[in-house]
Structure formats: C-alpha cells, structure tokens
Amino acid sequence: MIRYLTELSLEAFIEAARNVPYQQINSDLFPGIDLWIRRDDLIDPLISGNKAYKLIYNLLEARDRGLDTIITCGGAWSNHIHATAAAGLRFGFKTVGIIRGHRPPVLSAMLQDAERFGMELRFVSRLDYKKRNDAGFLAGIGLGDVAGWFVPEGGANLQGARGIQLLGKAIEQTKPIDFEECWVACGTGLTLGALASGMKEPTKLVGVPVLKAEPAIREEANQWASTNNQNDRFSLIKGAHHGGYGKSSSILEVFQCALESQESLVLEHVYTAKIAYALAEQSRMTTSGKGLGAKKGVLLLHTGGLQGARGVVK
Ligand SMILES: *Cc1c(COP(=O)(O)O)cnc(C)c1O
C-alpha cells in the first residue's frame, strides 16, 4: 500500500518515520551479513527518502515565519528539487527552484516534474550558481524581494540536519535488531554526519561517497556530527563511486539487476545501488577464507531518490 505524507506537522511526520518498514535481505550477494534495509523510499512516493527528513523542519520554519514561498537550488537531476516541488504542491507553498546552467530545449524528466508540481524554475549561469552560499545570492539573481524561506542546495542547513537527527532517533526506536553498522550513501555528507548525532553507540556509521569528493564529504560529515563530539563515529568507503556522480558501470548495473530480481525493492544508480554494491563487495572480501561465524547485523538506509533512475549517464 502506498503511503503519503498528508499533513504538515511534526507529530504526523514522526509517526510516518516510525512506520517506515525494515526489509530483511536473505541474499547470497551479502555473505556473512544479516542485512536489513530501512525503506525510507516508502515514506512518500514523491517527498522521498532523506530529502523528506531534510525538508520537514524547513517547511515548518517557513510556515511559522508566515512565509508562503520556498526558494531552493540544485542541478537538473536533483532529488532535493524534486522533493521540494512535490512538498510545495502538497502543503500549499509556492516554490522557486534556482537551477544551474541555461534552460535546455528539453527539460530533464525531473525538471518537467518540478514544473508540473508548480515550481517556478529560474535558470542561472554556472558563475552565478557558484555564489549560491553567499549572502547576496538571491538579490544578485533578482529574487531579493521574494518573501520566501531559502533552503540551500540539497537541504543542507540546520533545519535539514535536525530532520536527519529525527531519522536517527526513529531508527533507534524502531530497529528490529541491534545493528553493528549502519550504511548510508553520501552526496554532501550531511546525512551521515547528522545521523551520527541522532543515533546511539555502539552502532558504527559507514558512509559511501557516490562521487569523487571524499575529503569534502568527510569535512561536511564532521561538521554536522561534531556538535555532539561524535566525529569518530563514522568511516568512509573509498573508491565506490563508479566513475563519479551520476555515472554508472556495467558491473553496477548487473549487480543492481541481480539484487532487484532477488528481493522486492527498487534501487537507482546514483546512490542506493552504489551503497548496496559497496556493502556486497566488502562482505565478500571479509568472509572469504573464513568459516561461518555469527552474522554481522547491518542496516542499509534506502534514502529514496528513485526519480533519478531516469537520468542514466552513459
Ligand atoms: C541526497 C541523497 C543522498 C545524500 O545525502 P547527503 O546528505 O547529501 O550526503 C543519498 N541518497 C539519496 C537517494 C539522495 O537523494
């Protein structure tokens, strides 16, 4: 059954987060591991995955301030833009999406969705886009007078981090077993870092960078984790990006097909297939040559973003 976020309130959101299912995976692709996938892709079909968590406090903040517009920015396949546009339509906010680069003759499927959800798209040059974290950014692109709440790219602000902490708490309250490790795909690293301050010891957090930016991701994760002195709580898997952000490889595609055909779940190549592949690879390496010991309990977060599957870069 498909569930939707129908009401903009913290209570309703926490309830939805507590109802996200955990799926146990019994696949020989992950030897030696008792693997569970938390299906945050199912929290809502459109306001999906970790982006829903990054948005909740931003939406509440805008409403509390009496602002009727959410302004944010991203690229042509941004899951955050997609989720923000859907959330605006659902909860009655106008939305403005500042998109990097010139308007192409044919919009990406994601941007077509965003427009259909009512988002006003503003294309800005790559040079202007570089200033997206500067104080004068909105004024510089002619949006200085809009009475809107600005959400940085990817939902990377304090409200975004608080939402991810809420995810961490929901996991602590609903986890089916005690996990030794919790794996999460990293774009900026905010989700990894903020989870470290939302979840309890001794679960170790393992981040899988999906682009060639490990040092920046480590720094970002540290920044969001350090408020609670939790910055030794996570590690990063190196070289799991399959060529870079949005890139895929034939080995990744074969793996994704195999897993999807064995288990009832859908992944995408940008984040979730890469994290599952990295975990499978590590489990194969650590079990080879050893006898059958007790299985290690691992939680893998399905952070949603399935709309991005439409944008394969070959
Ligand atoms: C944005 C995104 C991530 C990465 O989140 P960060 O907080 O930027 O590291 C992971 N998975 C999916 C599906 C995403 O859309």
Side-chain angles (χ1 to χ4, degrees):
M1 203 192 67
I2 298 177
R3 276 183 279 220
Y4 288 87
L5 299 167
T6 51
E7 179 196 329
L8 180 56
S9 80
L10 195 56
E11 294 70 35
F13 190 84
I14 290 172
E15 183 64 18
R18 285 191 183 145
N19 284 321
V20 167
Y22 293 80
Q23 178 175 0
Q24 190 172 23
I25 303 293
N26 292 304
S27 163
D28 56 6
L29 292 167
F30 304 93
I33 287 187
D34 182 14
L35 175 60
W36 295 73
I37 299 185
R38 182 179 153 94
R39 298 290 306 275
D40 279 300
D41 57 317
L42 298 178
I43 194 164
D44 187 281
L46 297 173
I47 311 168
S48 159
N50 66 338
K51 301 306 183 284
Y53 292 85
K54 288 178 171 189
L55 275 172
I56 179 63
Y57 284 105
N58 278 295
L59 299 172
L60 293 169
E61 184 82 36
R63 194 184 60 187
D64 290 351
R65 288 172 182 245
L67 300 170
D68 67 354
T69 305
I70 309 285
I71 309 172
T72 192
C73 50
W77 285 104
S78 162
N79 289 331
H80 165 69
I81 291 281
H82 197 262
T84 303
L89 179 64
R90 187 85 53 84
F91 300 123
F93 293 97
K94 291 181 217 156
T95 51
V96 180
I98 303 162
I99 311 300
R100 183 184 54 223
H102 294 292
R103 186 182 181 102
V106 180
L107 293 180
S108 70
M110 188 288 280
L111 289 173
Q112 288 180 34
D113 283 351
E115 273 199 340
R116 200 149 18 89
F117 299 157
M119 179 177 263
E120 179 192 337
L121 302 181
R122 287 276 193 130
F123 289 85
V124 301
S125 71
R126 283 171 190 268
L127 198 66
D128 278 339
Y129 195 82
K130 280 212 176 94
K131 301 176 193 148
R132 64 192 178 279
N133 295 323
D134 297 354
F137 175 61
L138 291 180
I141 58 168
L143 290 173
D145 293 334
V146 180
W149 176 250
F150 181 68
V151 182
E153 185 182 70
N157 61 3
L158 198 60
Q159 285 76 15
R162 284 181 66 202
I164 298 294
Q165 284 177 13
L166 188 156
L167 168 60
K169 289 202 189 93
I171 295 170
E172 290 297 346
Q173 288 165 354
T174 59
K175 60 188 177 183
I177 63 166
D178 284 328
F179 292 108
E180 212 173 297
E181 292 175 0
C182 170
W183 284 52
V184 56
C186 300
T188 60
L190 181 146
T191 299
L192 177 67
L195 269 178
S197 47
M199 284 175 68
K200 294 203 202 91
E201 306 253 21
T203 305
K204 270 280 193 192
L205 286 151
V206 181
V208 178
V210 300
L211 62 160
K212 297 178 190 166
E214 277 151 27
I217 287 168
R218 183 178 298 280
E219 201 176 300
E220 183 80 6
N222 265 324
Q223 190 190 318
W224 294 107
S226 61
T227 40
N228 287 0
N229 274 331
Q230 302 266 16
N231 30 345
D232 290 330
R233 293 274 321 280
F234 65 84
S235 56
L236 292 181
I237 302 289
K238 294 202 175 75
H241 49 67
H242 296 261
Y245 186 72
K247 301 267 171 65
S248 191
S249 66
S250 47
I251 197 167
L252 185 67
E253 280 162 29
V254 169
F255 171 81
Q256 184 181 336
C257 270
L259 182 55
E260 286 176 338
S261 64
Q262 286 178 13
E263 306 286 335
S264 113
L265 89 162
V266 178
L267 305 168
E268 43 67 62
H269 64 288
V270 187
Y271 295 99
T272 46
K274 286 183 184 176
I275 181 181
Y277 182 85
L279 176 61
E281 213 179 24
Q282 205 208 49
S283 65
R284 263 198 320 274
M285 272 158 26
T286 45
T287 46
S288 61
K290 287 188 200 161
L292 291 175
K295 286 191 166 188
K296 177 161 86 175
V298 174
L299 176 64
L300 188 151
L301 300 186
H302 193 319
T303 39
L306 294 174
Q307 69 83 25
R310 301 172 295 179
V312 180
V313 182
K314 294 263 182 184

